[in-house]
């Protein structure tokens, strides 16, 4: 009985998380990756959501965003990426020192950690939407941010050289990073986090 109870509650949690992802307009393959549900089950879930009177949400096709440089495009996006990454650290989706949290000892616990991590990501993203008046980072880009920080090859968590605030920085940046406020205090230094990108030759 205990095993079937656990299975039921895990399945229930998967469905709840998938619904949350659907409301955030996540692509089907993103929902599959984070919840382990099949494409067919996700489609049925979407249909039942609409039949139950849910708001129509956009179903995006094609690949998820993959350009980590998106977060370095403007001071506003760098600032929001830092805020979202900080929230992800608070709920345990990311570790402050490296990336991914939740390495598990077996396939079963790894699957559980995946669903738990998906729930935490929703929590962090909802908090981000609540505190930013006009969010520049969509849910699929939030997934990209978390994955890119976990990989660490393009983006990393860093600290502002001036005040120590958590920042998302270019992994290959040559100069120490500075937050928007500290960069304003000392405009000659600039934000730092995209300095290496500026120095690179245009493709
Ligand atoms: Zn600062």
């Amino acid at each position: 009985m205990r095993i079937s109870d656990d299975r039921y509650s895990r399945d229930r949690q998967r469905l709840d998380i998938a619904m949350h992802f659907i409301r955030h307009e996540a692509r089907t393959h993103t929902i599959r990756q984070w919840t382990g549900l099949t494409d067919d089950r996700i489609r049925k879930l979407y249909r039942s959501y609409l039949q139950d009177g849910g708001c129509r949400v956009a179903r995006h096709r094609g690949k998820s965003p993959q350009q980590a440089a998106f977060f370095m495009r403007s001071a506003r996006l760098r600032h929001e990426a830092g805020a979202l990454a900080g929230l992800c650290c608070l709920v345990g989706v990311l570790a402050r020192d490296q990336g991914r949290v939740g390495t598990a000892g077996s396939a079963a616990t790894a699957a559980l950690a995946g669903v738990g991590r998906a729930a935490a990501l929703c929590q962090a993203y909802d908090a981000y939407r609540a505190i930013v008046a006009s969010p520049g980072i969509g849910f699929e880009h939030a997934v990209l941010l978390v994955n890119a920080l976990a990989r660490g090859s393009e983006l990393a968590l860093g600290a502002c050289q001036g005040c120590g605030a958590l920042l998302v920085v270019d992994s290959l940046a040559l100069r120490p990073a500075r937050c928007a406020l500290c960069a304003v205090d000392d405009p000659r230094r600039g934000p730092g986090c995209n300095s290496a990108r500026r120095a690179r030759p245009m493709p």
Side-chain angles (χ1 to χ4, degrees), residues 99-119:
R100 204 171 180 144
V101 169
T103 43
S106 70
T109 50
L112 268 177
V115 177
R117 197 164 165 256

Side-chain angles (χ1 to χ4, degrees), residues 76-160:
R76 180 189 158 199
L77 282 171
R78 283 194 295 273
H79 186 66
E80 289 190 21
L84 180 55
L87 289 165
C88 286
C89 289
L90 278 178
V91 297
V93 180
L94 292 170
R96 179 69 181 82
D97 53 350
Q98 36 99 38
R100 204 171 180 144
V101 169
T103 43
S106 70
T109 50
L112 268 177
V115 177
R117 197 164 165 256
L121 174 64
C122 288
Q123 199 185 351
Y125 188 71
D126 288 345
Y128 158 74
R129 302 256 318 180
I131 59 175
V132 177
S134 176
I137 300 174
F139 187 73
E140 283 279 354
H141 272 101
V143 171
L144 170 65
L145 178 68
V146 164
N147 288 338
L149 286 169
R151 280 196 307 272
S153 56
E154 294 172 276
L155 298 177
L157 291 176
C160 170

Side-chain angles (χ1 to χ4, degrees), residues 26-176:
R27 284 167 172 76
T28 300
H29 74 92
T30 305
I31 303 171
R32 185 181 64 231
Q33 273 176 355
W34 284 72
T35 64
L37 294 174
T38 62
D39 288 6
D40 188 48
R41 201 130 180 240
I42 294 164
R43 274 192 291 272
K44 282 178 182 159
L45 196 61
Y46 179 71
R47 277 202 295 272
S48 70
Y49 163 72
L50 288 180
Q51 280 163 6
D52 290 346
C55 299
R56 184 163 283 281
V57 288
R59 301 298 315 277
H60 300 286
R61 310 283 172 193
K63 282 187 171 180
S64 293
Q66 298 184 32
Q67 300 289 326
F70 167 83
F71 303 102
M72 300 287 111
R73 271 185 203 161
S74 67
R76 180 189 158 199
L77 282 171
R78 283 194 295 273
H79 186 66
E80 289 190 21
L84 180 55
L87 289 165
C88 286
C89 289
L90 278 178
V91 297
V93 180
L94 292 170
R96 179 69 181 82
D97 53 350
Q98 36 99 38
R100 204 171 180 144
V101 169
T103 43
S106 70
T109 50
L112 268 177
V115 177
R117 197 164 165 256
L121 174 64
C122 288
Q123 199 185 351
Y125 188 71
D126 288 345
Y128 158 74
R129 302 256 318 180
I131 59 175
V132 177
S134 176
I137 300 174
F139 187 73
E140 283 279 354
H141 272 101
V143 171
L144 170 65
L145 178 68
V146 164
N147 288 338
L149 286 169
R151 280 196 307 272
S153 56
E154 294 172 276
L155 298 177
L157 291 176
C160 170
Q161 191 190 30
C163 68
L166 180 78
L167 296 176
V168 171
V169 299
D170 185 334
S171 296
L172 302 175
L174 300 175
R175 286 190 192 169

